[in-house]
Amino acid sequence: MIFSDFPQLVPQKICLSCQGCCRFKDARSVWRPKVAPAEIEANEHKEDFTGALGEDGYIKTVQEQGQNRCAFLNLGTNQCGIYTGRPFECRLYPFLLTGKEGNIVVSVHLSCSYVQQNRYTVEFECYLAVLQGYLFREKNFNFFRNNPAMLGDYSGYSSEIEELFTVGPREKDVSR
């Protein structure tokens, strides 16, 4: 499965106690996770995406208890129904990928409570180094370069986002 080796920053215990992620004010929110077709093809939950993925490549939402939630979120348990096969964007959060001047920009969502508590810690900085290494792997970089729809447009939320680093082609990649 694609990205199954991706290291998670936010401990699962914290995610399960949070009531922020996977819930959206608008049914067509830009915060809904995007899914690349290649992610679905290699996914152990492939069948679950049938009907849950919109034509725009975003996971659909379900209106429940006065809010729009991800189609895979169980509000009773606050757990994801496809956790082991969740899309890369879900694995990446609170980090975000955007496109800027032909490069991939990695940002962090400052509204995440874990980020608010840990943004300037050694642990966070160590994770950034791991994240950079992961995203600079040729197969991962090429995946995002070949799937530009995976790069979000969060320009309307600039006060909630901090740009961290740019993932661009390394010297050896430029010569190709």
Side-chain angles (χ1 to χ4, degrees), residues 88 92 96-107 135-136 140-148 150-152 163-169:
F88 177 75
L92 182 65
L96 310 165
L97 300 179
T98 60
K100 186 176 185 180
E101 298 172 6
N103 290 311
I104 299 168
V105 177
V106 179
S107 301
L135 293 175
F136 272 106
N140 296 336
F141 176 74
N142 287 337
F143 177 84
F144 295 110
R145 185 174 52 196
N146 295 329
N147 292 280
M150 294 294 294
L151 307 179
E163 287 186 7
L164 299 171
F165 60 90
T166 299
V167 180

Side-chain angles (χ1 to χ4, degrees), residues 19-166:
Q19 297 292 311
C21 297
C22 312
R23 296 158 180 83
F24 316 101
K25 290 179 183 176
D26 179 20
R28 298 194 47 81
S29 172
V30 68
W31 295 102
R32 294 173 298 142
K34 292 176 287 308
V35 183
E39 284 186 274
I40 297 171
E41 286 303 313
N43 198 305
E44 63 191 69
H45 294 276
K46 182 178 180 175
E47 300 80 33
D48 293 322
F49 283 94
T50 304
L53 194 62
E55 291 179 15
D56 58 0
Y58 286 86
I59 292 178
K60 293 178 182 178
T61 62
V62 174
Q63 191 164 38
E64 185 177 359
Q65 298 178 9
Q67 60 186 327
N68 296 289
R69 64 162 175 84
C70 173
F72 297 116
L73 178 67
N74 179 320
L75 288 179
T77 63
N78 201 37
Q79 293 185 346
C80 176
I82 59 163
Y83 186 79
T84 58
R86 67 197 182 284
F88 177 75
E89 262 203 335
C90 300
R91 294 172 189 272
L92 182 65
Y93 188 84
F95 297 95
L96 310 165
L97 300 179
T98 60
K100 186 176 185 180
E101 298 172 6
N103 290 311
I104 299 168
V105 177
V106 179
S107 301
V108 67
H109 191 200
L110 300 172
S111 295
C112 171
S113 61
Y114 184 83
V115 172
Q116 292 170 2
Q117 294 171 10
N118 295 282
R119 170 61 186 98
Y120 297 101
T121 64
V122 171
E123 175 188 13
F124 191 91
E125 293 303 317
C126 288
Y127 183 81
L128 283 182
V130 170
L131 180 59
Q132 283 179 319
Y134 188 87
L135 293 175
F136 272 106
R137 287 185 199 163
E138 189 171 359
K139 72 174 183 124
N140 296 336
F141 176 74
N142 287 337
F143 177 84
F144 295 110
R145 185 174 52 196
N146 295 329
N147 292 280
M150 294 294 294
L151 307 179
D153 177 7
Y154 304 97
S155 56
Y157 301 92
S158 59
S159 65
E160 295 180 35
I161 295 171
E162 176 187 353
E163 287 186 7
L164 299 171
F165 60 90
T166 299

